[in-house]
Amino acid sequence: MKIQGYWLASGILGVTSSTLRRVHESGADAVVTKSIGPRPRKGHPGPILATSHGGLLNAVGLTNPGIDFFAEEMAELKKSGVPIVLSIFGNSPQELADVASKGVEMKPEAIELNLSCPHAEIAQIAHDPNLTHEYVKAVKEVVECPVFAKITPNASDIVAVGIAAEKAEADAIVAINTVRAMKIDIHQRRPVLGNKVGGLSGPPVFPIAVRCIYDLHNSLSIPIIGVGGVTAWQDAVEMHLAGASAIQIGTAVIDGLDVFGEIKEGVLNYLKAEGFSQVSDIVGLAGR
Ligand SMILES: Cc1cc2nc3c(=O)[nH]c(=O)nc-3n(C[C@H](O)[C@H](O)[C@H](O)COP(=O)(O)O)c2cc1C
């Protein structure tokens, strides 16, 4: 699939084919599913969502039906006509490769590896270049479709992790997953989220995403799919300039699906006004 345009990020909407059809009609060029693992998983105890400082904290905990039970839902999602990227996770390279093998049978356009949920056991993978390499390689050995590695800003050296994924032949990097964060209720004097710690998304993480994408683009040759806090066309332009070829939008969708169309139109107007003919002309222009 072409790494371009504006996609729905993983885990945001409880997606049915009719919702997805609306997402597509609103201008989304692709949709990433919530992350699917080897077996059904309930996720963390509530509360799983809270707002803080203009952002959203979540500790959903990878709630999903398991790959064996996802085929039906996937078939339904594909009816919407929008290209689907299947997001998966696993607790060992072998387990992730098994989920990927089952996943490709559902014929997604690509597979996105969630190596980086900050409030689940898999959080550790994308902190470590060697582990990242092992997981990506295990999947690349068993599938033919494009494989994207989704990594975390919580890593101390995100560039080393990106390079490891590239060496393992990932077809693109997705950056970033949520930022490890928490909120405390001052009257109850305890953490608000059931899991205590969660992942922050939305506007407050945007500058962090830009920094990660900029650094990754300066060291990598594979495309970068930017995600994190994009709410308007100006953010999308900034992310492209940092090095993102395509952009995923998550939290902003909660305020409405118009965001896809608005961003597309705004970016096109910007390109025209500034004398560029296509998005690829500005990808990474602020770096290197
Ligand atoms: C409620 C919620 C659920 C999420 N679930 C997943 C998930 O299942 N897999 C994943 O890779 N990322 C998941 N994410 C992270 C988003 O895909 C995205 O990387 C992050 O929210 C930053 O983008 P945004 O600021 O545009 O939301 C989730 C985010 C939120 C807010």
Side-chain angles (χ1 to χ4, degrees):
M1 78 184 292
K2 288 208 173 115
I3 314 274
Q4 62 185 32
Y6 305 95
W7 309 357
L8 178 66
S10 178
I12 307 299
L13 289 180
V15 280
T16 59
S17 66
S18 60
T19 321
L20 281 200
R21 208 166 292 135
R22 281 202 294 119
V23 171
H24 198 19
E25 282 161 12
S26 309
D29 299 292
V31 163
V32 187
T33 68
K34 65 188 161 200
S35 296
I36 307 296
R39 59 194 74 87
R41 191 179 149 113
K42 267 203 189 140
H44 293 314
I48 56 168
L49 292 175
T51 54
S52 183
H53 294 71
L56 181 67
L57 278 162
N58 93 82
V60 174
L62 297 173
T63 306
N64 81 97
I67 194 74
D68 294 326
F69 302 94
F70 194 61
E72 211 174 304
E73 197 171 326
M74 186 72 171
E76 189 62 24
L77 300 184
K78 287 180 78 178
K79 278 189 207 159
S80 65
V82 62
I84 309 276
V85 176
L86 174 65
S87 170
I88 59 169
F89 69 94
N91 291 310
S92 68
Q94 185 57 52
E95 195 173 70
L96 187 64
D98 290 347
V99 177
S101 306
K102 290 177 179 171
V104 283
E105 284 169 26
M106 301 172 199
K107 305 221 176 332
E109 296 289 322
I111 288 188
E112 183 175 293
L113 308 179
N114 180 358
L115 305 173
S116 51
C117 182
H119 46 87
E121 308 76 39
I122 60 161
Q124 290 313 312
I125 304 169
H127 282 263
D128 181 338
N130 293 331
L131 278 179
T132 301
H133 189 273
E134 273 181 49
Y135 277 76
V136 174
K137 190 161 167 277
V139 172
K140 282 296 290 183
E141 275 167 4
V142 296
V143 304
E144 295 282 327
C145 75
V147 174
F148 309 148
K150 184 167 181 182
I151 62 177
T152 173
N154 303 317
S156 55
D157 187 353
I158 193 172
V159 173
V161 174
I163 290 172
E166 181 173 79
K167 282 195 177 140
E169 292 181 14
D171 297 279
I173 298 291
V174 183
I176 55 175
N177 211 317
T178 53
V179 179
R180 207 167 143 77
M182 72 186 300
K183 177 174 183 166
I184 291 169
D185 183 315
I186 60 166
H187 299 293
Q188 294 195 25
R189 289 179 279 283
R190 61 171 192 240
V192 170
L193 294 171
N195 187 56
K196 300 189 177 72
V197 171
L200 183 66
S201 62
V205 310
F206 178 72
I208 301 173
V210 170
R211 182 266 299 172
C212 292
I213 294 162
Y214 180 88
D215 285 348
L216 287 163
H217 187 261
N218 283 339
S219 301
L220 267 59
S221 318
I222 54 175
I224 297 160
I225 302 165
V227 53
V230 173
T231 60
W233 68 264
Q234 291 91 338
D235 303 334
V237 168
E238 192 175 336
M239 221 176 233
H240 287 311
L241 289 169
S245 297
I247 291 177
Q248 296 179 1
I249 298 155
T251 305
V253 169
I254 294 169
D255 288 332
L257 295 176
D258 295 343
V259 64
F260 292 104
E262 285 166 10
I263 286 179
K264 265 189 171 171
E265 195 188 332
V267 171
L268 281 180
N269 289 340
Y270 169 89
L271 292 174
K272 214 159 141 196
E274 303 284 331
F276 297 103
S277 50
Q278 56 210 358
V279 169
S280 57
D281 296 342
I282 64 163
V283 172
L285 215 52
R288 287 214 165 116

